[in-house]
Each structure stands twice: as C-alpha cells, then as structure tokens.
Amino acid sequence: MNARITWRPLSAVTPLLLLAALLLVSAPAHAERVQGHFTYLHDLSGSTSTRPVNNVKVEIWRYAPRFLGIWDWAMDRRVWTDDNGWIDVDMPWAGSGVKYKIRVYAANAHITVWPHDTAHVGESWYNELPEQTVTDSSAVLDFTHHFDWAVAAQNFNIARIGWFAGEYMAQTYSDLPTMSAQTTSMFKTFYDPVGNTMQVEPSRAFEDFTIAHEYGHFVQEQIGSLPWEPSVHYRCLPSSTSLAWMEGFATYYAHAVARAFPGVMKGAASLESGTGCPGTPQDDIEYYPSVTLWDLLDTGSEPNSYPEPHDWVSDQGWLILSIVDNELGAFGSKPTIWDFRNAWISRGQSAMDLDRILARHGLIADFNHAQFVSQSVPTTMIAGHTYSAQVTMLNAGSTTWTAADSYVLGSQNPQDNTTWGFYRVSLPGNVAPGQQGTFTFTVTAPATPGSYPFQWRMLREFVEWFGDTTPSVQVAVTAGLQNAQFISQSVPSSIQGGTSATVSVTLKNVGDTTWSPGSYFLGSQNPQDNTTWGTSRVTLPYAVGPGGQVTFTFSITAPSWTGSYNFQWRMLQNGVSGFGDATQNVSVLVTAPAPVCNSTACIEECIDSGCRGGSCTSANVCHCLRCL
C-alpha cells in the first residue's frame, strides 16, 4: 500500500489562527523539519513485539509569536502518519526559541478511538513526548516515540486494525462514515449500532480478528441490515438463521481483511472447512455462513489455505459486499444465508457452484451433477472393427464418484443400448467434486453398415441418471473392403466315388474387415454353391482380422459316379456376397467304386449291374466291367 499522508481542513478556524497563519506565511522562506517514527507495544503479556502507529492523525503545536507578537500555543499543522508510522514535515520558520510539541491521536480516516469510558467529548490523543525548541531554520526536530503505556497501546491497536478493516471497504465503498470505538469496563466486546460505536474490553484490544469482526458488524449496519438483537459470537452456538448470518458475515469479514493485507493481523487468514461443528449442521450456527462466504473468496492456493474439491469459486469479495449492500440492505430486515443464496442466483451466478459449497457444509443435501468436457470417437467405422473412444466428464456435484457406490458411464440414444458392444463403462478411479474423470474404452462397430448414434451420460446404478448427456455423434459404419488371398490347399487328385477324404484350404484376410464366425464362411464355387463334395459351406473356425490367415480343414465326400469334378472355393459373407480370390481349381478324378459283395452273390450282383464275367476275390470284392 502506498504511504498515505492526507491534508484535511479544520472544521472551524478562529481569527487568532488566521492571523497567526498570515504571520507565518509572511515569514522568511526558511523551514525546520519535524520528524518522528511512532510505534506501540503490541500485546501487554510480556511480549516485546511492536507495531507502527500507522495512518493516524498527528497535530503539530507551536509556542510562537501570535497576534500582536504575543507568544502562545496553537496547532499549526495536522498530518497523518504513513503506513510505517512516520511523519516528515517542513514547517515555516517562525523564529528562534519557538517551541514544538505534538499530539498523536488514536484516530484515522476509518475509525476514531474515544477516551476510555467517557462521553464522546474528544478523541484519544497522547502527548508523552518532551517539547523541543528551535534554534535555527535548519533544525530537525525528531519526536520518535514508542508507546508502551497500556491504554495508549490498546487504543492504537484498535485504530490500526480499524484502519485496515476500513481500507478493505474503501476499495469498493468510499463513502462510509468514520466508525467510533472505545475500550469499556462492561466486560463485553460488541458493536453498538445506535451510536455506531465498537465497545472493546481492554483485555481484547489486542485480538485483531475480534476488532475486525466488530468492524464487520459496522459494515453490515452501514450498507446492509442487522437484526438489532443481542447476540453472542461463537461459531458453533445455535441461535437463529438471522443471527447466524449476522455473526457469520462478521467473522468472514475479519478473515477477508486479513487476506487482503497479509501480515497485518496476528493469526491466519483462513476459514477452511475443518471439522465443522459437532452434531447435525444447521443454518442457525454461525460457522456455516462464515465458511460458505470464505469459500466464495479464497483461491485455495494462498497461505493457510488448500484446494477444496467442492470449491470452484474465488475472489468474490466485491460481489458479497454488493449483495449485502443491495439485496440484504432493507432496513429492519433479518437477512439469512438463504436470502444471500437467492440474491446470488438472481444475479445470474451459478446456483450449482454455491449449492456445492452449501452441500459440503451440510446446509443442503448432497447432489450429483456432471458436466460434459470432451469426447473423442471416430465418425466413420468399418463394420465389426474395434476402435478406441474417450469421454471426459467433470464432477459438478457435491459427492465423490466411486465404483463402490456404483457410479458408471451409461449408454444413451436409446438408453442402455448395446450398439457398441456394451452399455456401461467403469470409472477410471474415484472422481471428487471439481475433478474430471476420463473414460477410455474400446468399442466394436456394429456388423451391419449404417449410421449409429454415439452418446453417453453419468449414472449411479439403480439410483439416478444425472448431469449432461454427451453431444450425440452420428457414426457412419461402412462395410469396408472385403478381400481374401488364396495361400494354399491340400486336396487329392483322385478319389474313389462315394468315399470321404480330409482336405484343407488356407486363405489370408487382405481386406480391412474382420471375418467373424457365424457371418463368414468358405463357399463352394464352379459352379457357385454346388454340393458336389457333400456341402456348399464350411464354417469359419475363429475370427480373422485384417492380415490374419485361416485354414479350413474339413471332410468331403466324393460323388458316386466316376468322372472328373471341379474342386474350388471362395470366401463369402453370409447373406451378402462372395469376395476375394477363389482357390485354384483342381479337377479331381473320381474313380468307380468297387461294389462290396459277399461270396456267391458277387456274380449275380455283377449280372444285375449289366456286367459280364464277374468273379469274387478272397476279399469279397466284386471285379466286373461296368457296361458302357
């Protein structure tokens, strides 16, 4: 903060002072300097720590020739100490032998500390410093002083903390009046709205947060509304929603001042959640409004603070004061945290952001919400192929997503569809409020070409669907390139009619589709779909991806009639078409079957078949020539 030395006019100027001023102005252009550094003892418990008497009013008095040359005391200059408690003033030369003394007041632009337990007949000022006499115009008069008298130290501390509490307001509101304060023998520290006066127990005059807290009540009374009821400041003491708001705001205000001016106040500027209050949280307990407002202010990265997953809001101090000034400023009203919430929402602020904080502190029930962040999925796919997809969702609610609590990503459009091979995707891990969960999974394109929607949403299984639905992506699924390369085959060049043999055919998938059992077969050719060898289809033994090979091993049965028969095959997708290479055509010679006979029946069998000269061998095989 820049040094603040403010010149302020007197409220009334006597003719005597006017004449004295004229005499001083007409004096030679010489000047002596009045300097001083003022500090006070902070804490009377034996500590030696000191603080500057900063930004307070200082009067410079001189015993000098006045009207008609008569020597008299008068206040000739009013100045203000800077942030570090210094004054440095040039005074016009009034002659040798002029005496100086100063008065240091416990008063500044924001607060005036009155004498202890007296009527407001004058400000508290201290003149413990010896007079000094000027001998020549180059004199430097140093009034540096350390105030260790208890009453002075107490009042200077009230003035110091009141100054910073007022400066925090002055950043936004420059028209607040000066607050009054005094130490009291009532053994209670409180703010009196009737007299705009802070009453401070002497034993609490060095409690910086207490002083700033009471100034917070002054702020409420000046720009907002107070319940005008006696209250006790204790964070976990139940009272009423209006008193909880009143005390909670003042506590928040003290911490906001400490945050704005690091190192000024004794203690940590923090209202982090901690353990809260014992028992069921209620909105008539001061702690909860104060920590709610703090969460709207702090960033989570400053000293004595830490990132909180429920808290996505920061630096809203001005907005809080503006709401107190406007929506909560009706005279005689008793505002509550709920009035603040209504005002927050009516201003277009995120209800979800505030409710997440309220839920964290138990003021409203926990809730689930998810915000879509991003997704990645191919817009074209080949039927049957697998692809990687990714969906990122942000936990915008107040609960943590865990697998144990059955939080998953579920398919939509239509709900619970298995278009992509499944309808649920497991969490990648626990996802706390404010964190993102990225679901990375593999999908399988439908087997049938067409256009299919890809869409998902968060749900807690068997409880509720919640939050954003991901934008629907229409994925074009195409048949792709079906192709097969002939590699080899094993088939006999001749076979006896009616007998069986084992053959094999090896093909390579040189397309970009996957052959899957039940949809892809080896089909007979030359002519297509013939059953010469006992079947027209051979089942695919396993799935074959692009680049893979498959060997069909199967049994054939030769025709009963002799002759040459074509053996040729080709891949086909059932119900679609054949594709790729046909196997090399093999002309297989089918020889006549030797009829099986039994002893004497052989000749008759041969005669019956139109042959002559039949006879049986010892193996009971009938040898005869078939008639042409």
Side-chain angles (χ1 to χ4, degrees), residues 213-289:
H213 173 96
E214 298 304 330
Y215 193 96
H217 288 314
F218 169 70
V219 169
Q220 285 177 302
E221 191 264 336
Q222 289 296 315
I223 70 170
S225 179
L226 287 177
W228 289 68
E229 299 176 36
S231 176
V232 176
H233 163 48
Y234 179 66
R235 75 171 199 166
C236 286
L237 181 67
S239 52
S240 69
T241 54
S242 58
L243 293 180
W245 166 259
M246 179 179 74
E247 295 295 343
F249 172 83
T251 296
Y252 153 78
Y253 187 85
H255 286 267
V257 171
R259 176 182 181 267
F261 304 105
V264 165
M265 294 167 61
K266 184 178 180 179
S270 175
L271 282 172
E272 296 300 86
S273 300
T275 56
C277 298
T280 302
Q282 300 175 46
D283 56 2
D284 61 356
I285 294 176
E286 169 192 341
Y287 170 80
Y288 296 104

Side-chain angles (χ1 to χ4, degrees), residues 508-567:
K508 181 178 181 180
N509 184 345
V510 292
D512 55 15
T513 61
T514 296
W515 305 342
S516 54
S519 297
Y520 289 81
F521 297 86
L522 188 66
S524 61
Q525 297 289 303
N526 201 8
Q528 183 174 307
D529 295 330
N530 70 79
T531 57
T532 301
W533 304 101
T535 182
S536 62
R537 297 285 186 274
V538 181
T539 301
L540 184 71
Y542 48 81
V544 183
Q549 285 190 176
V550 60
T551 297
F552 296 86
T553 300
F554 55 102
S555 177
I556 60 173
T557 300
S560 299
W561 300 99
T562 60
S564 292
Y565 295 87
N566 293 320
F567 182 92

Side-chain angles (χ1 to χ4, degrees), residues 74 121 215 249 267 465 617:
V121 296
Y215 193 96
F249 172 83
W465 293 85
T617 67

Side-chain angles (χ1 to χ4, degrees), residues 279-363:
T280 302
Q282 300 175 46
D283 56 2
D284 61 356
I285 294 176
E286 169 192 341
Y287 170 80
Y288 296 104
S290 64
V291 294
T292 296
L293 295 177
W294 176 257
D295 279 342
L296 298 175
L297 178 70
D298 74 320
T299 63
S301 61
E302 53 219 34
N304 305 306
S305 185
Y306 54 87
E308 296 170 305
H310 65 276
D311 181 5
W312 302 4
V313 189
S314 62
D315 293 320
Q316 294 301 314
W318 173 86
L319 181 57
I320 291 171
L321 292 176
S322 180
I323 290 175
V324 172
D325 182 20
N326 294 282
E327 288 87 340
L328 307 186
F331 178 76
S333 67
K334 297 182 178 182
T336 69
I337 186 66
W338 306 118
D339 296 314
F340 176 84
R341 179 182 181 272
N342 292 338
W344 175 275
I345 296 171
S346 69
R347 287 178 175 234
Q349 300 298 313
S350 171
M352 187 189 312
D353 287 344
L354 178 56
D355 285 349
R356 188 182 306 106
I357 294 171
L358 294 172
R360 173 61 181 82
H361 300 309
L363 292 171

